[in-house]
Every structure is written in structure tokens, then in C-alpha cells.
């Protein structure tokens, strides 16, 4: 018997095993990633159900939703049964999820830990393929007054202008700043250049009575905090 003849459609499954019905009966938390994607694409191909196709797509990127969010339409349409419309549905859903995380981060009223900084900045720079250097400006209650991209560079590094950092701080009456930049390589290790610019900005801030509270190196899934590691 051929695989095609063995293939069973979702409609013939028990009602509680169908993704849409399962969501109605048990709620969204009960669904696996593959089942959620299956709802987005609606149908599979002649040899696979939507769930089986979704599992194969996820397997190709190590079941990592962050990697899935980086795929282009052309990457997804390589899978049999996924046309432009289905690919766009997947990309759209993941982009909405990314924007939701960004909005949640923007609503963060106060910085209370390095983890709070990571949650604030990861949606902005955590998944970039180039390096960016940002400054978070805080008032005396550690509430975020402003976030500024100071520089944008290639994979090898970026240039930071100390004068621009403190020009903005003075303009908005910030009393403290937190430095952030991403490592597209994923390495959570402070380079000599990272340490040098941190020291330079800290010294300049002391003259102006503006504290440098931390410097975070941010990657896709984790971060390195100068303050937590006692090297600030």
C-alpha cells in the first residue's frame, strides 16, 4: 500500500485531535506549535495533513520559532503544499507576535533589573544580523524617558560617539543611562572594545553626574550584563 493511501486527512480524526476543534475545546495553550501552524495553512498536500506538513517545516529549522520568523516566502514555498498565500499567512502571524512583544516591552514603566532591560531591547535588536548600539535614558526613578539608537554597523562592530550620548541625556534631564548593543554572532562575551567604551562613557558620566547603570550585550535568546558580572 502506498504512503498516499495510508495518509489520513484531519477531517477523519477524532474531533478533539483536530487543531481548530481542539482549540475550541481545550484552548490555545493545548495546541502544539505544529497544530497552530496547521490552522494557519489550512491544508497540507496529497501526501501529508496540514499538521504533518507543519511538523516537517518546523523540523527543518530545529523546531525553533525564532528561526521560522526569519524565513522568507521563497523559503517556505519550497515545501510541497505551501504556496505564496500560506507562506504569507505564516510570516504575518509571526510578525504580529514579534510586534506584540515589542509593544509589551514599550509599556515597561520602570527598569528594575538586567532582565527587564533584555525584555525591553531584545525585540528591537536581538534578532538583527548587524550590530547596533543603543542607549536607554532614565529618570531618578529608573523610569524610561527615551531610547536612542546611537550607531549602526556591520557584523564586526560599531562606533559610539560619547558626546551624542550625553547631549541627549542633558536635553531630556536624564539622571542615568543603560548601554545596550547586540552581538549577531550570538557570543555572550564582552570584548576589549566593549569594556573600553563602557569605561569611557562611565568616566564622562561621572563628570556630568549621570550614572551608567549597566551595559548589556544582547543576543537572540540571552544577554550579558556588565553590572551582574561586576565589571562595570
Amino acid at each position: 500500500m502506498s504512503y498516499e493511501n495510508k495518509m489520513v486527512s484531519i477531517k477523519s480524526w477524532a474531533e478533539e485531535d483536530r487543531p481548530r476543534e481542539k482549540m475550541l475545546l481545550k484552548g490555545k495553550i493545548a495546541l502544539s506549535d505544529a497544530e497552530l501552524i496547521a490552522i494557519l495553512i489550512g491544508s497540507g498536500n496529497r501526501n501529508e495533513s496540514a499538521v504533518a506538513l507543519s511538523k516537517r517545516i518546523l523540523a527543518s529549522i530545529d523546531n525553533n520559532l525564532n528561526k521560522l520568523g526569519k524565513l522568507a516566502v521563497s523559503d517556505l514555498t519550497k515545501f510541497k503544499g505551501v504556496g505564496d498565500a500560506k507562506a504569507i499567512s505564516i510570516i504575518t502571524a509571526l510578525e504580529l507576535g514579534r510586534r506584540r512583544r515589542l509593544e509589551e516591552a514599550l509599556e515597561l514603566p520602570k527598569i528594575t533589573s538586567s532582565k527587564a532591560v533584555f525584555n525591553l531591547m531584545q525585540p528591537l535588536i536581538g534578532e538583527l544580523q548587524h550590530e547596533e548600539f543603543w542607549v536607554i535614558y532614565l529618570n531618578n526613578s529608573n523610569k524610561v524617558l527615551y531610547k536612542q539608537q546611537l550607531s549602526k554597523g556591520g557584523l564586526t562592530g560599531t562606533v559610539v560617539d560619547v558626546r551624542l550620548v550625553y547631549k541627549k541625556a542633558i536635553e531630556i534631564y536624564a539622571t542615568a543611562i543603560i548601554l545596550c548593543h547586540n552581538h549577531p554572532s550570538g557570543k555572550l562575551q564582552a570584548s576589549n572594545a566593549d569594556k573600553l567604551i563602557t569605561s569611557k562613557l562611565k568616566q564622562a558620566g561621572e563628570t556630568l553626574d549621570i550614572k551608567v547603570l549597566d551595559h548589556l550585550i544582547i543576543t537572540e535568546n540571552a544577554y550579558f550584563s556588565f553590572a551582574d558580572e561586576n565589571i562595570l
Side-chain angles (χ1 to χ4, degrees), residues 40-112:
L40 288 173
I41 63 177
S43 61
N45 55 51
R46 290 181 63 189
N47 296 324
E48 295 173 300
S49 68
V51 174
L53 175 56
S54 299
K55 286 181 178 179
R56 190 158 60 87
I57 292 171
L58 286 170
S60 73
I61 40 90
D62 303 318
N63 293 296
N64 187 312
L65 291 178
N66 286 321
K67 290 182 179 180
L68 182 62
K70 295 176 182 178
L71 297 184
V73 169
S74 58
D75 297 318
L76 290 166
T77 53
K78 291 177 182 177
F79 293 90
K80 183 180 179 181
V82 179
D84 288 349
K86 292 181 180 180
I88 290 170
S89 292
I90 294 171
I91 291 170
T92 299
L94 289 163
E95 176 61 15
L96 283 171
R98 188 192 70 83
R99 294 186 186 186
R100 179 187 175 188
R101 286 191 295 122
L102 178 57
E103 285 187 3
E104 289 174 346
L106 292 173
E107 292 170 1
L108 189 67
K110 186 175 182 178
I111 298 297
T112 57

Side-chain angles (χ1 to χ4, degrees), residues 8-226:
V8 180
S9 70
I10 290 177
K11 290 181 180 180
S12 65
W13 294 6
E15 185 171 314
E16 63 270 17
D17 290 331
R18 302 178 199 170
R20 292 184 182 85
E21 287 80 358
K22 188 175 180 180
M23 180 177 285
L24 289 172
L25 289 171
K26 300 181 180 180
K28 59 188 178 182
I29 300 298
L31 273 68
S32 66
D33 293 344
E35 288 170 329
L36 290 170
I37 294 170
I39 291 175
L40 288 173
I41 63 177
S43 61
N45 55 51
R46 290 181 63 189
N47 296 324
E48 295 173 300
S49 68
V51 174
L53 175 56
S54 299
K55 286 181 178 179
R56 190 158 60 87
I57 292 171
L58 286 170
S60 73
I61 40 90
D62 303 318
N63 293 296
N64 187 312
L65 291 178
N66 286 321
K67 290 182 179 180
L68 182 62
K70 295 176 182 178
L71 297 184
V73 169
S74 58
D75 297 318
L76 290 166
T77 53
K78 291 177 182 177
F79 293 90
K80 183 180 179 181
V82 179
D84 288 349
K86 292 181 180 180
I88 290 170
S89 292
I90 294 171
I91 291 170
T92 299
L94 289 163
E95 176 61 15
L96 283 171
R98 188 192 70 83
R99 294 186 186 186
R100 179 187 175 188
R101 286 191 295 122
L102 178 57
E103 285 187 3
E104 289 174 346
L106 292 173
E107 292 170 1
L108 189 67
K110 186 175 182 178
I111 298 297
T112 57
S113 65
S114 57
K115 179 65 173 178
V117 179
F118 174 74
N119 290 337
L120 179 71
M121 296 302 298
Q122 194 281 337
L124 285 173
I125 63 175
E127 299 177 14
L128 298 179
Q129 298 303 306
H130 60 271
E131 191 168 308
E132 293 187 1
F133 192 100
W134 285 67
V135 181
I136 304 170
Y137 297 90
L138 309 171
N139 64 14
N140 56 10
S141 298
N142 285 350
K143 290 186 177 181
V144 177
L145 295 173
Y146 190 73
K147 300 191 306 297
Q148 179 181 35
Q149 181 199 88
L150 197 68
S151 60
K152 179 179 178 179
L155 289 171
T156 56
T158 184
V159 179
V160 176
D161 189 326
V162 175
R163 294 168 298 179
L164 288 178
V165 171
Y166 288 107
K167 178 178 181 292
K168 187 66 181 180
I170 292 169
E171 287 176 356
I172 63 175
Y173 301 101
T175 60
I177 62 173
I178 295 174
L179 315 173
C180 298
H181 77 281
N182 63 311
H183 276 183
S185 66
K187 292 183 179 180
L188 287 173
Q189 185 175 2
S191 67
N192 289 332
D194 295 336
K195 295 176 182 177
L196 180 62
I197 191 60
T198 304
S199 177
K200 192 173 181 180
L201 284 164
K202 184 179 178 182
Q203 290 177 22
E206 288 172 352
T207 303
L208 298 168
D209 199 24
I210 299 173
K211 296 179 181 179
V212 176
L213 298 181
D214 203 348
H215 184 170
L216 265 70
I217 297 170
I218 294 174
T219 63
E220 187 172 331
N221 299 308
Y223 66 93
F224 177 94
S225 163
F226 279 53

